[in-house]
Amino acid sequence: MAKAIRDCLLEWKLDKVFTIAVDNASSNDVTVKKLSKQLDMWKTNMMSGKHLHVRCMTHILNLIVQDGSKELDVSVTRVRNIVRYVRSSPARTLKFKQCCAHVKVECTKTLCLDVPTRWNSTYLMLDMAQHFEKAFDKFHLFDDGFSTYQCSHLCEDGSSAGPLESDDWVNVIEFLARFHELTKKVSGSRYVTCNSHFEDVSELYCYLKMCLASEDEYLRKMAEQMQEKFKKYWCEPEKMNTMIFIASVLDPRNKFEYVEGTLEELFGEEKGKKINVEVYAYMNSLFGEYLKKYSTGSCHQSPSSSTSSNNTSNTSSGSVISASKIRTKLSLKKQKEDNGSGGAKSELDKYISEEQEPFSEEFDIMSWWKTHAPRFPILSELARDVLAIPISSVASKCAFSTSGRILDSFRSSLTPKCVQALICVQDWLREEKNPISVEEDLKYLEELELVPHSRGCKGVFSN
């Protein structure tokens, strides 16, 4: 795998890689280590690859929810069984629609089955099914075999889930809704996600902590299962990428005040302060790397010096040139006084010492850094790279899923160039301003399934 990635980087003429976001398969650990060695050979591996490996947050969330949902297996199986029964034949689907009309269910959506290995699809199935609860209660009046099926149908493990109970809706939907929304949030590809990574982790920790103190025994059991998996990935600082904390520091609404307080909440006061010191030291070292890289570049020039250059080129007046030079000197003197020293390295200290920005959901972090780039020329370069880190691999996996639909068993003779063109065209046609969604267009997929086979064959011959 490392060789394939290396070959792609060479083909794309890319030799600088800041981070690599992958899921938590053990093979990926080996892949990232080998890629780190390759970057060392190219002499482009910043900080010796200490922050190269980014673990996909959505994959960790999936593992956490999978462990917690073990307590919900019976409830989920009951819902899955009745949805499968209704969708198993057109005749039953028609009867179910008649039942919905009889009990006045106004939902225009249709039932959908889940993929058991994808918990978010299970949530979508349950969320959709709850709109038809009244119809399920009366469906036995329209289909004689429904009640018998519920009591006698055996699950994959040979057990009988039994009929659906009213508590199943409350226990399952409310539990999974929070995690589903979090998964959608961190799976975005059109907005910055890494700056909220640490905040999301801490909020999830507080939620599980609250569930552990709940009087609901059922909820406590779920939280206990999930907390064990949470501790495995997010309660061992040595396994966490330092960029999680640095990205939060680079959010002007947070800075070190929020990070330090949250670290103490997660790991205890003593350990939290120790980790905070380590994060600050790492950030200083990383800033030092950018200082070496950009201090001699054009980005380090102050706005006043560039203005002076423009004035010189547009006028021959010596008095104007002298005035510009004086303004430049005064500006540099003031900058030195504000920084406390003449070195650009104090940009970081200056940023940290300033007050935090007021918290707002509409806050645009990229616009803030663009506006303040003249004040923090080196630090803004660091922020640009760090804030570009994706904390989820959902977007790339969606691309591979799309290719799988295009190059299916009926169109296996397509050339690589044609497949690439079809994928690109499909992506352009479906371009939307809204953030990427992990939800499938279930209605659209169902329409594809109902297309006659003859029409599908016609498509094959047309290629």
Side-chain angles (χ1 to χ4, degrees), residues 15-18 43-47 51 285-300 344 377-379 381-382 384-385:
D15 59 355
K16 298 176 183 178
V17 179
F18 195 74
K43 297 181 180 180
T44 59
N45 200 13
M46 187 171 289
M47 301 291 289
H51 58 257
S285 300
L286 184 62
F287 181 76
E289 293 290 326
Y290 276 78
L291 188 62
K292 295 175 185 177
K293 183 177 180 181
Y294 291 103
S295 60
T296 57
S298 59
C299 69
H300 185 53
I378 308 297
L379 191 60
E381 295 289 342
L382 171 60
R384 182 193 62 183
D385 292 343

Side-chain angles (χ1 to χ4, degrees), residues 289-315:
E289 293 290 326
Y290 276 78
L291 188 62
K292 295 175 185 177
K293 183 177 180 181
Y294 291 103
S295 60
T296 57
S298 59
C299 69
H300 185 53
Q301 297 177 359
S302 64
S304 55
S305 62
S306 62
T307 304
S308 172
S309 175
N310 291 336
N311 289 338
T312 304
S313 61
N314 294 329
T315 181

Side-chain angles (χ1 to χ4, degrees), residues 391-406:
I391 60 172
S392 168
S393 58
V394 169
S396 58
K397 288 185 177 180
C398 287
F400 283 104
S401 298
T402 301
S403 62
R405 296 191 187 102
I406 290 176

Side-chain angles (χ1 to χ4, degrees), residues 376-424:
F376 307 110
I378 308 297
L379 191 60
S380 62
E381 295 289 342
L382 171 60
R384 182 193 62 183
D385 292 343
V386 172
L387 297 177
I389 298 174
I391 60 172
S392 168
S393 58
V394 169
S396 58
K397 288 185 177 180
C398 287
F400 283 104
S401 298
T402 301
S403 62
R405 296 191 187 102
I406 290 176
L407 192 65
D408 57 22
S409 56
F410 297 102
R411 311 175 76 183
S412 57
S413 62
L414 291 173
T415 63
K417 187 175 182 179
C418 186
V419 173
Q420 182 180 7
L422 289 172
I423 292 175
C424 291

Side-chain angles (χ1 to χ4, degrees), residues 56 78 119 155 161 185 215 223 231 240 248 306 313 325 357 371 387 391 412 431 436 441 455:
C56 176
R78 288 170 180 166
W119 75 266
C155 303
K185 176 185 175 183
E215 296 180 357
K231 289 180 178 179
M240 299 174 70
S248 186
S306 62
S313 61
K325 287 182 177 180
E357 292 289 329
T371 303
L387 297 177
I391 60 172
S412 57
E431 176 70 16
I436 188 172
D441 191 344
R455 183 179 174 184

Side-chain angles (χ1 to χ4, degrees), residues 170 338 345 357 406 439 448:
V170 179
D338 292 340
K345 188 176 181 179
E357 292 289 329
I406 290 176
E439 300 180 14
L448 290 180

